[in-house]
Amino acid sequence: NQNAKAVFYARKALEADKRNSAAALNAAIGYANMEEYRQAQQYFDQSVNVGKPSREALISYAAFSERQRQYDAALRLLEKLENLYGQDLNSMVAQARIYDSLGDYRSARRKYKAILHAGFRIPPDLKKFILNKTGGN
C-alpha cells in the first residue's frame, strides 16, 4: 500500500538503468493502484517491451488491460504469456472471463472446459462456477 513510494523508487531505478523491466513493472503497478492510468500504461509498455518479458509483467499488464476494457490487448498479452511460459490456471481463467466480456460465449465455454481438463488443482468455488458456465460437462 505504499504506491507513491514504490513509484518513486522505481523511477529512481529506471534513471540508473532504463532497461530495468522489473522497476518499470513496479512503477506501472503503483500508478495503476493510484488510478493514474496513462502513466501506468506507459510503464507497463516498458515492462513488456524487452526480449523476454517476465510472467508477472505479462499477467499484470493483461489484468490492467482487462480492467480498462481493452480486451483485445489483454488477450494478446495472455497469448504472449502462453507462448513464452505455457498456460496456467490464472491465465486460462482470465482468457475465459475476457471472452465472456466480449460476448464470445463459445470461446469462453471452450476455455472453461479446457481448464477442467488441464490437470490444475481448481478451488471448489471456481470449479462450481465453471461447471455452471459449461452446463456441467
Side-chain angles (χ1 to χ4, degrees):
N1 294 327
Q2 298 288 323
N3 295 305
K5 193 176 280 191
V7 166
F8 174 79
Y9 287 113
R11 292 181 67 184
K12 288 290 185 190
L14 287 165
E15 286 175 17
D17 179 6
K18 294 177 193 172
R19 297 172 305 193
N20 186 336
S21 60
L25 177 59
N26 286 335
I29 292 170
Y31 276 126
N33 288 339
M34 293 188 299
E35 300 183 5
E36 294 185 31
Y37 302 124
R38 211 174 286 162
Q39 293 93 330
Q41 182 146 6
Q42 174 189 340
Y43 285 103
F44 273 123
D45 284 340
Q46 188 174 348
S47 76
V48 298
N49 287 326
V50 295
K52 185 179 180 185
S54 71
R55 173 187 291 273
E56 183 181 0
L58 290 165
I59 196 77
S60 296
Y61 196 3
F64 171 80
S65 297
E66 181 183 357
R67 283 191 304 273
Q68 299 303 305
R69 299 179 190 263
Q70 297 172 345
Y71 299 123
D72 291 336
L75 287 171
R76 282 192 304 276
L77 289 159
L78 291 167
E79 182 179 337
K80 188 171 188 173
L81 173 76
E82 180 179 316
N83 289 335
L84 289 173
Y85 299 102
Q87 295 181 330
D88 66 20
L89 180 61
N90 291 328
S91 66
M92 291 178 78
V93 168
Q95 287 172 321
R97 189 178 53 241
I98 291 168
Y99 288 133
D100 264 341
S101 296
L102 288 169
D104 185 352
Y105 304 116
R106 184 167 151 192
S107 293
R109 188 169 193 254
R110 191 175 16 207
K111 186 57 75 172
Y112 284 127
K113 281 186 169 189
I115 292 167
L116 291 175
H117 301 289
F120 299 121
R121 190 160 185 245
I122 303 171
D125 57 335
L126 178 58
K127 187 171 185 176
K128 182 178 178 182
F129 172 81
I130 291 172
L131 288 170
N132 184 47
K133 283 286 196 178
T134 60
N137 45 355

